[in-house]
Amino acid sequence: MRADAQRNRARVLEAAEVVLARDGLSASMREIAELAGVGVGTIYRQFPTKEALYQAIVVDRMQRLAERAGELAAAADPGVAFFDYFTTIVEDSTVKKVLVDALAAAGIDAKAGAPDIKGPIEGLLVRAQGAGAVRGDVGMEELLALLSATCLAAQHNNWNADLRTRTLTVVFDGLRPGAAGAR
């Protein structure tokens, strides 16, 4: 892909996220094009349907989450990195759910082509446990259950930032060593 086409694609994906967050699934391709500073034809050349655009957004978001995990894997404080990443996933989940639901309704696998982030999450967990920031008895099964439950609750109840912060504080307290029931 030419450099200008890559820039246009990135601008379209960024604009589409903004418009979808604001307007939901009724988002107009024309509004996306205007915000991206491109013509509607530019969007349709790269994304022949709205569903193709939505899927590209999901894949792009997952790629960014994978990249963020990679950045945090080298962080000086593994505990802070782990809890920051958990927070990022919960924050990201609400917007992503709208897209995933739209794709599912169209019979499209939203995660097709998206990177698997379980490995990077496990790496952050192991480092945080090694640093004594997360209980040693928390495995990936428990962590993924907590992530899923927290993301679903945030999506279903439209958490505001304050409620999200308070709820994550409770969850994080339970993940730290010395929490009730820790072995």
Side-chain angles (χ1 to χ4, degrees):
M1 191 180 293
R2 293 184 341 244
D4 62 329
Q6 288 175 346
R7 282 191 302 275
N8 284 344
R9 178 183 171 82
R11 290 193 343 235
V12 166
L13 290 174
E14 184 178 317
E17 281 192 59
V18 169
V19 174
L20 283 165
R22 183 189 68 214
D23 300 342
L25 298 178
S26 65
S28 157
M29 294 293 253
R30 182 168 305 287
E31 287 184 51
I32 294 168
E34 287 174 10
L35 185 59
V38 301
V40 175
T42 299
I43 295 177
Y44 282 110
R45 271 192 295 283
Q46 293 188 20
F47 310 104
T49 64
K50 264 190 177 181
E51 291 78 15
L53 176 59
Y54 297 164
Q55 187 169 27
I57 293 169
V58 171
V59 169
D60 184 62
R61 291 177 79 86
M62 294 296 288
Q63 183 62 45
R64 283 184 284 168
L65 282 173
E67 289 169 4
R68 180 73 177 135
E71 293 166 7
L72 290 171
D77 186 331
V80 170
F82 173 82
F83 292 116
D84 282 355
Y85 194 68
F86 194 116
T87 301
T88 298
I89 290 176
V90 174
E91 289 172 347
D92 186 70
S93 70
T94 304
V95 174
K96 192 176 94 177
K97 182 178 183 337
V98 172
L99 301 169
V100 170
D101 288 350
L103 291 169
I108 298 170
D109 178 10
K111 294 183 180 179
D116 183 3
I117 61 171
K118 288 180 186 171
I121 291 172
E122 186 170 22
L124 291 172
L125 172 62
V126 169
R127 282 192 73 230
Q129 288 173 322
V134 174
R135 295 167 37 170
D137 63 337
V138 175
M140 276 301 287
E141 191 172 76
E142 293 84 8
L143 178 58
L144 293 176
L146 284 170
L147 272 169
S148 295
T150 307
C151 288
L152 286 172
Q155 294 162 5
H156 183 72
N157 297 303
N158 296 316
W159 288 357
N160 63 33
D162 184 53
L163 178 57
R164 182 176 55 241
T165 299
R166 292 191 328 262
T167 303
L168 288 177
T169 297
V170 172
V171 172
F172 294 167
D173 285 350
L175 286 168
R176 289 188 173 94
R183 288 182 252 153

